[in-house]
């Protein structure tokens, strides 16, 4: 059964020892909680897939403490340099060519010749990476296809028996997964919208291309059924009834739902992103038949929020 450990020097040392011994550890990042293991150890990485019951073809993001560490595993590009300088540490993942001498397990790349790599900002993730002195592969710490955890108790609900150590870093500040960018060429290709907005990427790189959805060769992890609560989800609701839970947004929430949670009364998208997954979990309860969602603007972080909502709605 999972043990939730307060962040102390001792618990970080325990977690680092577990990583070095080839075991899995749940670590907080600023995006969501990750189920981490030594990314250079095939058996440790295989244990992540087993715990998540995740399809093998879905590659994993590798976490490293800084850009210099990233460059030991992947072929650096001038675009990677620009994006890393602007957004690392932070919620941006770069997909790059594996180096010929790359020691990352082939399992993290799921058979591709690329690896997805990120420098997290969360201080506990940073401490663990430095103490373990290993690159850590870490997908979200939930069973495959269900909602990503943004608090330690979500991890226990979803993976309770399958994990041992959960480092408690409190609620995740961003609450949405990282933006995944293919940075192999001059123009960045967005494989998955996330915590860094399209506008931010364009500001640094000048342009951006879409590449994610429908491109299994490029982004095998973009399964339709992801982030799914067990209740059906209905988007862009303009009315609501008492059998529905309502995800509201903005100063004028619809009236009449069985239960309403407002992601942000002031219409703040960062606040909405941070609370999104916890809200889906809270509304996913017996007594309700459906979850209705008010329209959310598609600008800035709204793009990633709407991406997750669409996939939760498309799940069945
Ligand atoms: P998760 O670990 O659950 O946050 O999901 C990882 C995301 O990164 C998925 O959308 C993957 O498709 C994407 N990803 C990881 N590695 C690669 C790669 N080598 N090429 C393309 N996309 C990747
Ligand atoms: Mg996930």
């Amino acid at each position: 059964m999972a043990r939730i450990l307060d962040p102390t020097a001792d618990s970080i040392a325990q977690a680092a020892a577990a990583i070095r011994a080839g075991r899995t550890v749940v670590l907080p990042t600023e995006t969501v909680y990750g189920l981490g293991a030594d990314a250079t150890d095939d058996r440790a990485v295989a244990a992540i897939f087993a715990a998540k019951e995740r399809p093998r073809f879905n590659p994993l993001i590798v976490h490293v403490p800084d850009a210099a560490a990233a460059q030991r595993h992947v072929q650096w590009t001038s675009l990677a340099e620009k994006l890393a300088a602007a957004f690392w540490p932070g919620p941006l993942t770069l997909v790059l060519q594996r180096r010929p001498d790359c020691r990352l397990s082939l399992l993290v790349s799921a058979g591709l010749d690329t690896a997805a790599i990120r420098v997290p900002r969360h201080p506990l993730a940073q401490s663990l990476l430095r103490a373990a002195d290993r690159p850590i592969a870490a997908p979200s710490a939930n069973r495959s296809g269900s909602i990503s955890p943004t608090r330690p108790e979500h991890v226990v609900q979803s993976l309770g028996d399958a994990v041992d150590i959960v480092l408690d870093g409190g609620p995740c500040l961003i609450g949405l997964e990282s933006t995944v960018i293919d940075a192999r060429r001059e123009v960045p290709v967005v494989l998955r919208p996330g915590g860094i907005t399209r506008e931010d990427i364009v500001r640094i790189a000048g342009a951006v291309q879409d590449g994610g959805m429908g491109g299994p060769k490029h982004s095998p992890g973009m399964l339709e059924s992801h982030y799914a609560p067990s209740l059906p989800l209905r988007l862009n609701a303009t009315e609501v009834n008492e059998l529905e839970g309502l995800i509201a947004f903005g100063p004028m929430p619809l009236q009449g739902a069985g239960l309403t949670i407002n992601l942000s009364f002031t219409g703040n998208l960062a606040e909405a992103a941070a609370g999104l997954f916890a809200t889906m979990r809270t509304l996913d309860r017996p007594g309700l038949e459906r979850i209705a969602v008010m329209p959310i603007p598609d600008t800035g972080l709204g793009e990633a929020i709407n991406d997750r909502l669409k996939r939760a709605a498309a799940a069945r």
Side-chain angles (χ1 to χ4, degrees):
M1 193 60 198
R3 290 177 294 144
I4 300 182
L5 302 183
D6 285 336
T8 61
D10 179 60
S11 61
I12 292 166
Q14 271 189 57
I19 294 283
R20 295 174 70 92
R23 297 203 300 276
T24 58
V25 165
V26 175
L27 67 150
T29 79
E30 68 278 21
T31 61
V32 302
Y33 276 75
L35 177 60
D38 179 351
T40 64
D41 179 337
D42 290 329
R43 287 178 55 185
V45 175
I48 295 177
F49 287 106
K52 282 182 65 79
E53 297 168 11
R54 184 176 217 184
R56 292 286 149 134
F57 50 79
N58 201 344
L60 306 180
I61 295 171
V62 175
H63 297 71
V64 292
D66 52 37
Q71 289 169 51
R72 287 200 280 278
H73 306 293
V74 289
Q75 285 174 25
W76 211 231
T77 62
S78 59
L79 175 61
E81 179 60 34
K82 272 194 254 178
L83 294 174
F87 302 117
W88 280 358
L92 178 73
T93 296
L94 299 178
V95 170
L96 292 160
Q97 202 70 29
R98 292 170 64 104
R99 283 171 50 144
D101 59 349
C102 178
R103 286 177 47 245
L104 299 175
S105 163
L106 288 168
L107 273 178
V108 302
S109 296
L112 303 169
D113 53 8
T114 52
I117 204 149
R118 173 166 110 80
V119 175
R121 177 179 288 275
H122 196 295
L124 255 183
Q126 279 283 337
S127 303
L128 179 62
L129 283 164
R130 290 177 196 278
D133 193 25
R134 296 279 201 284
I136 296 181
S140 54
N142 53 274
R143 295 222 191 260
S144 196
S146 69
I147 304 169
S148 296
T150 54
R151 295 157 191 261
E153 54 274 22
H154 299 162
V155 177
V156 176
Q157 285 160 16
S158 187
L159 289 181
D161 298 329
V163 298
D164 173 23
I165 295 177
V166 180
L167 282 178
D168 187 348
C172 300
L173 273 182
I174 310 257
L176 279 181
E177 295 84 350
S178 59
T179 302
V180 181
I181 298 281
D182 181 343
R184 287 176 296 171
R185 287 169 291 271
E186 249 165 67
V187 180
V189 181
V190 183
L191 301 179
R192 175 179 76 181
I196 297 284
T197 67
R198 172 182 300 266
E199 293 86 338
D200 288 334
I201 303 285
V202 170
R203 189 164 45 79
I204 298 302
V208 74
Q209 279 173 16
D210 281 309
M213 306 290 251
K217 266 178 79 188
H218 296 293
S219 197
M222 298 293 277
L223 299 177
E224 276 274 288
S225 70
H226 228 94
Y227 313 99
S230 55
L231 290 179
L233 215 90
R234 178 167 80 80
L235 303 179
N236 296 316
T238 50
E239 32 50 64
V240 67
N241 68 54
E242 71 277 7
L243 290 175
E244 295 180 311
L246 177 67
I247 300 182
F249 180 79
M252 302 210 301
L254 297 172
Q255 300 300 311
L259 179 61
T260 297
I261 298 179
N262 198 330
L263 290 177
S264 173
F265 275 102
T266 59
N268 179 319
L269 289 166
E271 185 189 7
L276 177 66
F277 291 150
T279 297
M280 283 204 254
R281 283 169 186 273
T282 305
L283 294 180
D284 195 18
R285 63 164 65 184
L288 295 175
E289 285 186 351
R290 205 177 307 107
I291 298 173
V293 189
M294 287 177 65
I296 293 173
D298 213 30
T299 52
L301 282 176
E303 185 187 0
I305 294 173
N306 284 319
D307 169 76
R308 304 306 187 269
L309 285 168
K310 265 182 230 149
R311 281 191 279 147
R316 272 140 292 256

